[in-house]
Amino acid sequence: MTTDNQHDLITDICTRYGNDKGRMLDILTAVQERLRCIDETSMHTIADTIGCSRIEVEGVVTFYSFFSVERKGDITIRLCDDIVDRFAGMKEISMIFEEELGIKLGQTSDDGRFSIDHAACIGMCDQAPAALINDVVITSLTPESARDIAQKLKTGTPPQELLNSVGDGNNAHELIRAMVNNNIRRFGEVLFDDANTGKGLKQALHQSPQDIIEQVIESGLRGCGGAGFPTGRKWSMAANTPATERYVICNADEGEPGTFKDRVLLTERAELVIEGMTIAARAIASTQGIIYLRGEYAYLKPYLEACLQSQRDSNFLGKNIGNVDGFDFDIRIQLGAGAYICGEESSLISSCEGLRGEPKNRPPYPVEKGYLDCPTLVNNVETFACIARIIERGAQWFNSIGTDDSSGTKLISISGDCDRPGVYELPYGTTVHELLKLAGAEQAAAVQVGGPSGQMIDPTAYGRKICFEDLPTGGAIIVFGSHRNILEIVEYYLDFFISESCGYCTPCRVGNVFLKERIGKIRKGFAELMDLDYLRELSNTVIQTSRCGLGQTSPKPVISSMDNFPLVYSALLKEHPDGMRASFDIQKTLEESRHLAKRRSHIFDTSYDN
Amino acid sequence: MSDSPKKRLATTSLAGCFGCHMSLLDIDERILALIEQVEFDRSPINDIKKITRRCDVGLIEGGCCNEENVHTLQEFRRKCDVLVAVGQCAIMGGLPVMRNAIMHSDDPLKECLYEAYIDSPYIQNDNHQIPNDPALPLILDRVYSCSEVVKIDYQIPGCPPSGDMLWQTLTSLIEGRPENLPLELIKYD
C-alpha cells in the first residue's frame, strides 16, 4: 500500500468515527484490521487527524494485545493459552501450527500471510483447546483438525470457510454462524426461563424511577461479575448524583479465565440484557448506553447490532421508548481489544473513552464520576438480564430464590476435568459437591472457584456453598483432577496476572513477578520453610498496596493453595542445616567467566594446579 | 552463642565500598566499650585475613560479584553463629547490581566487560584488554545478594547504616536481647 493510500484509508476511518479522540479504540481496531498493524506512520496520521499527540496514540496501541506496531499476518492465529486449554493439549496443537506454517509462536511469516500468537483465555474453556483465527472461533481442536485447518489456510481458504459445522442454539443464527456451543446444561428459573421478553420493560414504563430502584433494592440482587456489590444501592447512588447526563454500561468483558457464561447469555438472551439496560436507563435517567464487548467475542457483534436494531424497530430503544414522552435511550457497542484489566469498571470506562485501559483512582466512584466524568452505571451482563426478570416478575419472587444474602440464581461456567463442562443456572446456595455431581466431576482433586482471583479449594471444602456468604464467584468453576500439578496451576495464574498487569503500580507490576519466581524455586526443590513466609508476606503486601482489583486479588492463587494444599508445598521443601542455599550453584555462576577468561577457578575448581 | 566471656566478632567487605565499615568507625569512642565486650576476629579493622576460630557474630558488607566473595561469605556462614547483612549491597546487591540490568543480551557478562573496559567512550585503557591476571578472582555471571548465597539471620538497612544503628544492633546481639531498633534509626525519608 502506498503512503498516500494508507493516509487516505486512515483519514477515512477517522472520519467514520467523527474524528473523535474518544473513539480511539474503534479507530485503532479498524486500522489494525485493514493494515494488520498500526505503525509509526499510521500513528502520526491518526494523531494529526483526531487532534492529539502521537505518543497518546502509541500509548493506547501498546496497551492492548490485539493491536501491534509490527505487522501481523493477514491471518492472525491466536491460540488460547488458558490453563484448561493447556491441559487439553494446546502445546501439541501449537506445535502443529508452527510446523505447518513454518513460523514460531509470536512470529509473522515472511510473506505476511500468517502469524501465530498466544491469547489469554478466550472464553471457550468448555470446548478447549480453542483458537481465534482472525475473528473466527475454532473450538475443540485436535491434532488432526489443527493440521487440517493449517493446511487449508495455506491453500487460501478464508477463516470463515474453515467451519464444518455450527454450534447449538443461536450460534447457528445467520449473523453468528460460529462453531461455538452454548453447552447449557441446566436451565434455571430466572435467566434461561422462556425467552419471551419485553414484559419487564413494559412494566417499567409505568413505574417511576424511584419505584424501579426500590424494587431492585428489595430484590436483593448483587452484581454478578464477581464483586457482588448490591445493585440497587449502586443504582440509587448513580441516580442521586446530580448531573445533566448519565450513562449505562454493560460489562461484557468477561476475561476471568474459566468464565464464559456471559458469552452464552449474549448469544441466547441478548434482548433480555438490552431490556435490563433500558430499565436501568429509565431508573437513573440516562439517554446513552454502551455494551463493552470483549474483542474475543467480536463474532457476536453483528448479531448484537441486529438485536439492538430490532429493539429500535419495536420502539424499545431510541426516542420516546414505549411511547413514553421524553424517554430516550440508545446503546452502542464498544469492542474491546484484548485486555483483562478492562473488566474492572474504571478501566473499562477508560477504555470506552479511547484511553489506555488503566484503572482510575477511586473515589470518586464511577456512579459519581465515570464515563466522560458523568455518573455511570456499570453492571455485568448477567445483572442486567436479572433486572429485566425482577421488574417483570417482582422483587419478592426473585428474593425468594437463593440464600439470605444472595438472591436469585447464578450462571456458572464449569470447565476442566469434568464430564459435562458448560453453563449451569443454579440458585445461590448450591454446594460445590452438588455442582461437581451435575458436571460429572465427583473425583475432583481441586476446584478453582471464581477463576484465578477466587479460591482454590480441596475436597474437604466441597460441602461449601456458592453464595456471597460463603464462596463467591463471578461464575467460573474450574475442576482439576488428581493428575494435575497444583503448583503448575498457581504458576500459570501468576503468569497470567503478570502479562495482564497494566504496569501502573509497583506492587502489582513487580510483586507478581517475585511471587512467580519463588513458586518456580519451590517447584525446582530449592526452597526452604522461610520461602513460604516470604510468599505469604509478599502476597499480603501486593494485596494491600495495589491500586486496583487486579493486584488486590492476583496473589490469591498462592494464598489459597498454601492454605488448602499445604502438603503440596511442604513436600518440596528442603532445609539446609549448614546455611548454604541450594538454589545457588557456584559452578553455574562461573561458567561464562571461565569461558571468557580462558582459565579455571583456583578456589572452586579443585583440580586446578596452576 | 558460645560461653566465652568475650564474644567474638568477625567482619568483612565483599562487593561493597567499605562505607559500612567507615560507618562502624562512626561509633567513635564507643569502640573502646565495644572491645571490652568483644574480641575482633577476621576484620579489616585489625587486618586479620582468616577467621581463626568460631565466632558469635559475623557482619557482612557488600554482595557477591566474584568467586572470592562467595568463598568468603560461605566461610563466614560456616564459622559464625549469627550472620548479619549490613547495608544495601549486602541485602539487595546495591550499586554493583546495576550490571544485572544487562539481561537481554546473549552474553550479558561479555557485554558488561566490554562496556567497562573496551567500548565505553569514557575509559582510558591503552592496551584494549580486559584485565585477566591469574591472581584476579573470576567474576560471577551476575551480582548476588548475600541471602541468595547463604542463609542470613539479620539485615541492617542503610547506605550506609549509621554508626548509632550499628552500635545499637551490635550491643543488642552481644547481650542476646531481641533486636529493637528505634524507628528514627531506620527511617530514611
Side-chain angles (χ1 to χ4, degrees), chain A residues 528 578-581 583-584 586 588-590 592-594 596-604, chain B residues 67-68 70-71 74 77-78 107 109-110 132-134 136 138-141 144 147-151:
Chain A
E528 297 163 47
D578 63 355
M580 303 296 149
R581 293 272 186 246
S583 50
F584 183 80
I586 183 69
K588 230 169 123 190
T589 64
L590 287 176
E592 187 54 30
S593 198
R594 282 191 199 103
L596 288 173
K598 297 189 175 57
R599 60 189 167 93
R600 288 180 290 165
S601 157
H602 46 107
I603 301 176
F604 292 102
Chain B
E67 56 174 341
E68 190 188 33
V70 173
H71 187 64
Q74 290 178 338
R77 179 69 274 178
R78 270 191 283 271
D107 197 342
L109 186 56
K110 189 173 176 183
N132 192 14
D133 190 282
L136 289 174
L138 289 176
I139 193 166
L140 304 182
D141 60 343
Y144 293 81
S147 69
E148 285 182 284
V149 179
V150 301
K151 178 170 174 265

Side-chain angles (χ1 to χ4, degrees), chain A residues 37 82 121 142 149 186 190 200-201 205 231 252 254 319 347 399 404-405 455 488 541 585 587:
Chain A
C37 67
D82 184 59
C121 182
T142 60
I149 286 167
R186 191 178 185 285
V190 178
L201 179 57
L205 292 175
T231 308
E254 59 173 354
K319 297 255 174 223
S347 310
N399 201 286
D404 287 352
D405 286 337
Q455 292 186 57
E488 181 183 353
T541 305
D585 177 359
Q587 297 300 337

Side-chain angles (χ1 to χ4, degrees), chain A residues 290-305:
Chain A
I290 298 173
I291 296 176
Y292 188 92
L293 184 67
R294 66 186 303 220
E296 291 82 348
Y297 293 169
Y299 74 99
L300 287 173
K301 194 172 176 234
Y303 172 71
L304 293 174
E305 295 279 15

